[in-house]
Amino acid sequence: ISSVFDPLGLISPIIIKLKIIMQRLWQVNTSWDAALLSDIEKDWIDSRRKMIDLNILAINMSIVGDGEIADIQLEGFSDSSATAYGAFLYLRLVNINGKCTTNLICSKSRIAPLKTVSIPRLELLVAVLLARLASKYAPCLRLPIKRTFYWSDLMVVLAWIASQSSKWKTFVANRVGEIHDRTSIHEWNHNGPEWLLSDPSNWPKNNKNIISCEKVIAESKTTSYANVTTTNDSDESYFNLYSSLTKLIRVTAYCRRFVRNALSKCSNRSYGPILANEYDAANLCIIKQVQTIYFYKEISDLRDSNLVHCKSSLRHLNPFIDENNLIRVGGRLKNASTLDTFQRHPIVLPAKTMLASVRERYWPLNGRNIARTIAHQCVKCFRYRSIVVQPIKGDLPKVRVEPSRAGSSTRGPPCHNMRPAITFEIKHSSGLKKYHKDSEASIKAIIYYSYIIAQKIAAKSKPFTDGVTVARRIEELGTDIESTLKERISKFIFYSLALDESTDLSDTAQLAIFVRGIDSNFNITEELAALFPMKGTTKSCNIFNALISTLNLFDIKLNNLSGVLKDGAPSMVGKNEGHVALIKKEMSTCGALQLMQYHCIIHRENLCAKSVGFQTIMKDVVKIVNFIRSRALNHREFKNFPSEIDAEQGDKHIEAISDLKHQFKFSDFKANETYFNLFSIPFSLPVEDVPEIMQMDIIDLQNNKVLKEKYNNVELSIFYSKYINTETYPNLRNN
């Protein structure tokens, strides 16, 4: 069967009989070498005998015919039985003389599925097969087909196709939907092809009243309706069953335990007296139920938008929903860690609800007026409440009502209290006594003192309201510092940057940019270059633009940038779009040096200290580490320190220092360890670890005993600036 090559299905009526026989063999589970049943064997012999007639079958491959064609129509037919179904396409041609001819284009047949399917559904399957056949082969004809007709002999299928697919059950709806996608509803007709050669006016007409057929209605989708009735039960009878809140909570706790035990295994059930956690859970359950009754609208608003309606009684409390789905007061005590959660964010209770110790844990609405009303109605409280007589107040003193010079009071602004102290300090300063006596009446001394006062006021961060002189002096000091910094930066041969972004008290992001550079004489300058306010977002591109603006302000080029110190924020350390990545991209365009990047050690230490909780110890450790690493001489003396004490204690110190060394050896410093050792220990560094371009300079340096002695007696900066010159060691000095 599979070896027959019939792509157009021209002999499908014969092949389908063989397929039916094969299906019957599958149904009876016949083995390949077993004898056939008598009826199957008879059908097989009969079909094989009829297949001999295929040798004399002749099919005209020309479907258009001769003569001039006046009208071309595509006709499709479908039919089914209990065992198989098939679809056929015909081309109907009418020439200019009115002669009509029909030719078979193609056909497709299939056997019925093993699962029993009704005849209407089989007819629907063959209708789908016809639609697929027409949509596949009709475009391949490339003929001006004026009209297309699809014919079916079952009214039920036509009724399904004439209606919307969503009206029927899934089996029918899916196939009707596919038919609608591939064909038009008006192209489907009823009855067979005997009249196909006659005039179209004589063709059978469709019956419009086909929707009421019982078989059609049987495939209609059944619609189920469920009526749900909801009630807003605001009955508080449960809370009024007990006069004691404690008893109400305990009863609720026992009820909750009963439900939990009923749903749990025997090993997980609870018995005995109510535990503290069960008591608290029952209390929260009661409060949640009360809030649900009185604040159901506010709960819905908070879950949707975190805001309550402008007419809600909770609008001034800044409420929020906690992890237990309870409404709490927002307030401004979020950072008051010494207070209990119920004191920082009390639970909201409706009006006319009073509980014991209310103000410590809850926030009843209108609670003050309710307490005042209850106290006013209490007879015993009225008896013991004494009437307080307010005495007539005396006259205000003269200094309180008479106008006087601003700042004359001893409790005036801070700047007036500072003036005597600053003036006394300036006059009695040992470095200024002589200058003050010799030039007391000169303008130069007055201007000089004005700058000293402005500098001290600015250092104290105090306001000053007497005129604009101090403000002008502070601005001039700032301008002078900026110009001095520009002059020093212009002499840098290499420099590095440290960036840190944080938020101030006004919720404005501030980007601090520090610059550290070295000139040709090994003079190191480290200053705060800029404090850049980030008004909008703080993405990597915003930080990069702020950095470029600062570099342009000081006329700094990226060519000499050697390192960047950063924190661990994603905007800083992003691999492709991080701030450091953007700097590397910009440096690659101008042929700059290789950029070294480091994660701030102090930043890591602070994070560690906050998490572990030993801030006091970390402060001392940071001071010790900074002192040791501030000067090369301190570092060398610290390394020789264990050898100066006894051997036993020395071994312990060496082990402890070794452990600290491994703990503080981060990956980014490890990657550049060769360059650090090249600068700090050039005489003990193996030559093979040095970059090839500087190996000859290191060999000459290590063989120079005079320089080795100078290295052991002076600081590193003095050693490199004074004894390592460009002529003798050009590569080492320039790198």
Side-chain angles (χ1 to χ4, degrees):
I1 298 174
S2 301
S3 62
V4 177
F5 180 73
D6 184 22
L8 297 179
L10 299 178
I11 59 173
S12 58
I14 299 175
I15 300 299
I16 193 64
K17 293 183 178 181
L18 302 179
K19 292 182 179 179
I20 293 173
I21 295 174
M22 183 64 69
Q23 186 187 53
R24 292 171 61 188
L25 292 175
W26 293 339
Q27 288 178 318
V28 298
N29 197 17
T30 303
S31 179
W32 69 273
D33 57 349
L36 298 178
L37 298 178
S38 58
D39 56 340
I40 298 178
E41 182 179 4
K42 180 180 179 181
D43 292 341
W44 167 252
I45 295 174
D46 183 55
S47 299
R48 184 176 180 182
R49 185 184 305 112
K50 292 181 180 180
M51 288 181 64
I52 300 176
D53 297 336
L54 292 177
N55 297 326
I56 60 175
L57 178 64
I59 299 175
N60 185 9
M61 299 305 295
S62 176
I63 61 175
V64 179
D66 300 331
E68 187 175 353
I69 305 300
D71 184 30
I72 301 178
Q73 295 180 2
L74 184 65
E75 308 290 341
F77 299 92
S78 62
D79 197 6
S80 67
S81 66
T83 56
Y85 56 88
F88 310 91
L89 282 180
Y90 284 88
L91 195 66
R92 184 177 185 275
L93 306 170
V94 180
N95 58 17
I96 57 177
N97 298 324
K99 183 181 179 181
C100 178
T101 58
T102 58
N103 293 312
L104 177 65
I105 301 174
C106 60
S107 66
K108 186 72 172 180
S109 62
R110 290 181 179 175
I111 58 176
L114 294 176
K115 182 179 179 181
T116 304
V117 181
S118 63
I119 295 298
R121 287 195 173 189
L122 288 175
E123 289 285 350
L124 181 61
L125 290 175
V126 72
V128 175
L129 184 62
L130 177 60
R132 293 174 182 174
L133 199 66
S135 62
K136 179 178 179 181
Y137 288 101
C140 300
L141 297 177
R142 298 180 182 178
L143 295 175
I145 300 174
K146 294 183 179 181
R147 299 182 66 184
T148 302
F149 295 95
Y150 302 104
W151 302 89
S152 177
D153 62 349
L154 194 63
M155 299 286 289
V156 177
V157 175
L158 297 179
W160 289 341
I161 298 175
S163 303
Q164 294 293 331
S165 60
S166 59
K167 184 179 179 181
W168 313 114
K169 295 181 180 179
T170 305
F171 182 90
V172 177
N174 292 340
R175 287 152 182 82
V176 170
E178 183 178 354
I179 293 174
H180 287 174
D181 293 339
R182 297 178 182 271
T183 64
S184 175
I185 298 176
H186 305 289
E187 297 173 348
W188 287 87
N189 297 274
H190 180 251
N191 285 336
E194 294 87 1
W195 34 259
L196 195 59
L197 297 177
S198 63
D199 189 80
S201 61
N202 299 324
W203 291 0
K205 306 299 182 182
N206 279 337
N207 185 6
K208 303 301 182 182
N209 301 321
I210 57 178
I211 305 300
S212 61
C213 179
E214 295 183 0
K215 295 184 179 180
V216 175
I217 299 175
E219 289 293 343
S220 298
K221 182 187 294 185
T222 57
T223 305
S224 301
Y225 297 93
N227 295 327
V228 179
T229 303
T230 60
T231 58
N232 185 12
D233 186 9
S234 59
D235 186 14
E236 302 179 40
S237 58
Y238 172 72
F239 305 112
N240 298 326
L241 290 177
Y242 308 98
S243 59
S244 172
L245 175 63
T246 304
K247 187 174 183 180
L248 175 63
I249 295 176
R250 295 181 65 83
V251 170
T252 305
Y254 275 113
C255 293
R256 288 172 54 87
R257 174 187 285 185
F258 173 79
V259 174
R260 186 172 60 255
N261 289 344
L263 299 176
S264 304
K265 297 180 179 179
C266 295
S267 58
N268 298 330
R269 294 178 180 177
S270 302
Y271 302 96
I274 295 297
L275 302 179
N277 58 344
E278 293 178 319
Y279 187 90
D280 295 338
N283 187 24
L284 294 179
C285 180
I286 295 173
I287 296 173
K288 187 184 299 183
Q289 183 65 22
V290 172
Q291 288 187 348
T292 303
I293 295 174
Y294 288 93
F295 303 124
Y296 64 91
K297 185 64 171 63
E298 285 79 358
I299 293 174
S300 177
D301 294 340
L302 289 174
R303 288 175 177 173
D304 293 340
S305 60
N306 293 330
L307 295 174
V308 296
H309 195 268
C310 59
K311 296 184 179 180
S312 173
S313 58
L314 308 182
R315 63 187 183 278
H316 299 302
L317 301 179
N318 190 22
F320 68 95
I321 296 181
D322 64 358
E323 63 276 4
N324 296 321
N325 293 324
L326 295 174
I327 303 179
R328 291 181 178 268
V329 178
R332 302 169 59 189
L333 301 178
K334 180 180 180 181
N335 299 322
S337 58
T338 57
L339 298 179
D340 185 69
T341 304
F342 286 91
Q343 294 177 331
R344 285 180 291 169
H345 303 291
I347 297 176
V348 178
L349 291 178
K352 301 181 182 180
T353 301
M354 297 299 295
L355 300 176
S357 304
V358 170
R359 285 296 185 182
E360 294 182 3
R361 299 173 63 88
Y362 310 102
W363 188 278
L365 297 180
N366 204 22
R368 182 178 299 176
N369 294 333
I370 295 174
R372 188 183 293 113
T373 302
I374 294 176
H376 180 73
Q377 296 174 352
C378 179
V379 177
K380 185 178 292 186
C381 295
F382 179 78
R383 291 177 179 177
Y384 288 100
R385 185 169 56 244
S386 60
I387 301 176
V388 180
V389 179
Q390 293 290 344
I392 301 175
K393 297 182 179 180
D395 296 333
L396 295 174
K398 183 177 181 180
V399 294
R400 297 276 300 276
V401 295
E402 291 291 334
S404 60
R405 182 178 180 273
S408 60
S409 174
T410 56
R411 298 181 60 84
C415 58
H416 299 289
N417 296 332
M418 287 180 57
R419 188 194 305 275
I422 295 177
T423 305
F424 179 83
E425 182 181 351
I426 293 175
K427 288 184 178 181
H428 295 80
S429 176
S430 59
L432 297 177
K433 281 183 179 180
K434 182 179 179 181
Y435 183 78
H436 179 73
K437 291 178 180 179
D438 296 343
S439 308
E440 185 174 1
S442 66
I443 301 298
K444 184 176 181 180
I446 296 175
I447 295 175
Y448 182 82
Y449 286 152
S450 67
Y451 281 107
I452 295 296
I453 294 173
Q455 188 272 336
K456 290 185 176 295
I457 291 177
K460 296 288 186 179
S461 300
K462 299 293 183 179
F464 201 88
T465 57
D466 287 354
V468 296
T469 303
V470 175
R472 187 170 64 251
R473 291 289 185 264
I474 293 176
E475 292 179 357
E476 293 173 356
L477 287 173
T479 305
D480 181 69
I481 293 174
E482 183 177 342
S483 60
T484 304
L485 183 59
K486 283 184 178 180
E487 182 181 356
R488 292 184 181 180
I489 289 177
S490 62
K491 299 179 182 179
F492 285 168
I493 56 175
F494 299 105
Y495 71 95
S496 60
L497 298 171
L499 299 97
D500 184 37
E501 181 267 321
S502 59
T503 306
D504 59 13
L505 295 178
S506 61
D507 292 335
T508 301
Q510 301 286 349
L511 178 63
I513 303 176
F514 295 87
V515 60
R516 177 185 175 91
I518 185 172
D519 58 12
S520 57
N521 296 323
F522 276 79
N523 295 320
I524 299 175
T525 301
E526 182 176 350
E527 291 289 346
L528 173 64
L531 187 62
F532 201 94
M534 311 291 290
K535 298 297 184 182
T537 58
T538 57
K539 298 180 180 179
S540 57
C541 57
N542 304 122
I543 298 176
F544 178 74
N545 294 333
L547 175 61
I548 295 300
S549 301
T550 304
L551 296 181
N552 294 335
L553 176 64
F554 290 96
D555 195 18
I556 310 176
K557 306 299 180 183
L558 287 175
N559 301 36
N560 297 332
L561 179 62
S562 60
V564 174
L565 188 67
K566 62 189 184 307
D567 56 17
S571 59
M572 290 285 186
V573 299
K575 182 178 181 181
N576 298 321
E577 297 297 333
H579 172 61
V580 178
L582 296 178
I583 294 178
K584 289 183 177 180
K585 291 179 182 179
E586 185 69 19
M587 293 178 64
S588 62
T589 59
C590 57
L593 300 172
Q594 180 181 0
L595 182 66
M596 301 180 184
Q597 53 177 329
Y598 312 100
H599 191 165
C600 177
I601 296 181
I602 305 299
H603 183 261
R604 291 184 176 181
E605 291 173 349
N606 288 334
L607 291 178
C608 179
K610 290 180 180 179
S611 302
V612 180
F614 51 94
Q615 290 86 345
T616 305
I617 300 175
M618 290 305 300
K619 288 181 181 179
D620 296 337
V621 172
V622 171
K623 290 181 181 179
I624 295 173
V625 173
N626 290 339
F627 175 78
I628 295 173
R629 301 298 300 180
S630 61
R631 298 177 59 190
L633 182 60
N634 295 347
H635 188 203
R636 291 195 297 272
E637 291 179 351
F638 178 73
K639 290 193 295 184
N640 297 331
F641 172 71
S643 60
E644 298 178 359
I645 58 179
D646 59 286
E648 181 180 356
Q649 295 295 328
D651 293 339
K652 294 181 179 179
H653 283 292
I654 291 174
E655 292 177 2
I657 293 172
S658 177
D659 292 340
L660 288 175
K661 180 179 178 182
H662 288 292
Q663 293 175 11
F664 284 90
K665 187 177 288 185
F666 300 104
S667 59
D668 44 7
F669 289 93
K670 182 67 177 178
N672 301 307
E673 186 177 9
T674 302
Y675 294 97
F676 298 151
N677 294 337
L678 180 63
F679 181 77
S680 59
I681 50 172
F683 288 94
S684 59
L685 185 66
V687 178
E688 59 270 11
D689 294 342
V690 180
E692 186 176 353
I693 191 175
M694 291 183 285
Q695 287 184 358
M696 291 304 299
D697 290 356
I698 291 297
I699 292 174
D700 295 341
L701 180 65
Q702 292 180 353
N703 292 326
N704 194 325
K705 296 182 179 180
V706 177
L707 292 181
K708 187 173 184 179
E709 183 179 356
K710 298 292 184 183
Y711 168 79
N712 294 327
N713 296 327
V714 299
E715 295 183 4
L716 280 177
S717 58
I718 299 176
F719 173 76
Y720 279 100
S721 61
K722 189 173 181 180
Y723 300 106
I724 303 300
N725 52 60
T726 308
E727 298 178 357
T728 310
Y729 306 101
N731 296 322
L732 184 60
R733 179 62 183 261
N734 294 332
N735 289 275

